[in-house]
Amino acid sequence: MSPQTIGLIWAMAFVVLEAAQFVFFGGTFQRMDSFLFGFLVLGLTTALFVGLAVIRTPDQVRIALSKPMLLLKVNIIAALGWVAYLGSVQLIEPAVAYTIGSGVMPLTAVALHYLGWPEGDALRNRLEVLGNLVIGLAILGLIAITLFNLSGFVRGGPIAAFLGVTLAIADGILFTFLLVYCQRMDKAGVGPSAVFGMRFMFYVLTAGVLAASQLNPAPVPPPGELIWIVALGFALIVPPLYALQRAVALISTLTLGAITATGPFVIFCLQIFEGRVAQSGLTLIGLSVFFAGAVLAAAGAARAQVSAE
């Protein structure tokens, strides 16, 4: 089997696993406190990755701790991002939440460039410009579909729809900033595994306090079911990131971008299988427009990369 084929398999695995994560989380939070879930699942993730970092790369842990302000920024942004992410998939259709958050990320990166941030990205050709414009139109369309209750699911009325859309937008913006500060940690000498574990510490603490205060009152599942939910949640957080890391090393950016752009469709299909979310033709149209924009933007990025070489 060729490296390209293996890369395609890893990329498809990432898309399927991440899609399953959105659908599973959206359904789970209809019957369980999202803060309790986050405390247990990300607490387990933090303990595992920080423990491994202390044993395998203690120098990286010391470097991270020697930069408390940078580490604090990473933790605060990660905490806010997870609150936004978990809240959005709880309130609106998972496929819509995913698409809005994903689409906001490249637009935020472009905005950071024009604001003078070195980590921002400029649009390098007309194809990239067109692709990002189409992505922006898709986001606006999906927002309108959700606000007018034409999507497959909203947990409540117009206020819930507005809050869900706002949280999805915030998720995309915050995750972009998280990538920026994680890049700065990497440049300082802290590897991906150490950063991945240490960036959740503040969220775990906050989620534990909020779960204990019952800010979002919800019944606690029986112990057997709770263990299963936590185990499955952990399995849907870590493996997708590993699959993406493997795919990046084996296939081109254009190919990876085109495959990951199918994520909303995979979520849409899984929603049908799950049966909780109603099917919405308008949502599917919005996802199709997003897919077209994402492929155009990826093609523009690949062309710019080739020209630079």
Side-chain angles (χ1 to χ4, degrees):
M1 190 178 295
S2 68
Q4 291 77 16
T5 302
I6 296 174
L8 289 173
I9 293 173
W10 279 116
M12 289 185 288
F14 164 72
V15 170
V16 172
L17 288 169
E18 189 175 46
Q21 179 190 118
F22 266 77
V23 176
F24 172 73
F25 286 178
T28 298
F29 300 151
Q30 306 307 314
R31 62 182 192 277
M32 177 182 177
D33 182 3
S34 60
F35 293 119
L36 176 60
F37 176 88
F39 171 72
L40 294 174
V41 175
L42 292 182
L44 176 63
T45 303
T46 298
L48 176 63
F49 278 83
V50 172
L52 288 174
V54 170
I55 295 171
R56 299 173 59 183
T57 55
D59 290 342
Q60 294 182 12
V61 176
R62 282 193 288 268
I63 292 172
L65 295 177
S66 70
K67 299 183 178 298
M69 290 307 300
L70 181 56
L71 184 60
L72 181 62
K73 288 178 182 178
V74 168
N75 270 264
I76 291 176
I77 293 172
L80 293 174
W82 268 88
V83 169
Y85 162 50
L86 298 179
S88 66
V89 297
Q90 182 178 357
L91 293 172
I92 61 176
E93 184 175 349
V96 173
Y98 175 92
T99 307
I100 292 175
S102 299
V104 165
M105 288 179 61
L107 303 181
T108 303
V110 173
L112 289 179
H113 168 75
Y114 288 105
L115 290 173
W117 286 59
E119 294 87 359
D121 292 317
L123 297 176
R124 294 158 291 184
N125 53 52
R126 293 180 180 178
L127 203 55
E128 272 194 313
V129 172
L130 177 61
N132 280 277
L133 284 175
V134 174
I135 287 173
L137 289 174
I139 291 173
L140 292 175
L142 289 169
I143 289 173
I145 290 167
T146 303
L147 293 179
F148 287 101
N149 198 27
L150 299 173
S151 66
F153 172 80
V154 172
R155 188 182 183 182
I159 294 178
F162 176 79
L163 181 57
V165 165
T166 302
L167 289 172
I169 294 172
D171 173 37
I173 295 173
L174 289 165
F175 193 77
T176 306
F177 276 97
L178 180 62
L179 292 178
V180 167
Y181 286 110
C182 285
Q183 286 176 0
R184 295 184 182 182
M185 291 283 283
D186 183 73
K187 291 178 180 177
V190 186
S193 295
V195 173
F196 182 68
M198 298 184 77
R199 77 187 190 188
F200 292 126
M201 294 185 295
F202 181 73
Y203 174 78
V204 171
L205 176 63
T206 303
V209 172
L210 293 175
S213 65
Q214 295 187 326
L215 181 67
N216 180 26
V220 178
E225 182 182 354
L226 184 61
I227 292 173
W228 167 249
I229 289 173
V230 171
L232 191 54
F234 179 80
L236 290 174
I237 287 177
V238 178
L241 297 174
Y242 177 77
L244 179 61
Q245 184 175 337
R246 292 296 301 270
V248 166
L250 294 170
I251 59 177
S252 68
T253 302
L254 175 59
T255 303
L256 182 60
I259 293 175
T260 55
T262 64
F265 293 110
V266 178
I267 296 176
F268 191 83
C269 293
L270 290 177
Q271 288 175 173
I272 296 174
F273 178 78
E274 181 194 30
R276 179 180 63 88
V277 176
Q279 299 180 45
S280 169
L282 289 175
T283 293
L284 187 57
I285 292 173
L287 303 186
S288 300
V289 174
F290 170 82
F291 174 77
V295 172
L296 287 172
R303 179 179 296 180
Q305 185 175 354
V306 171
S307 299
E309 293 173 355

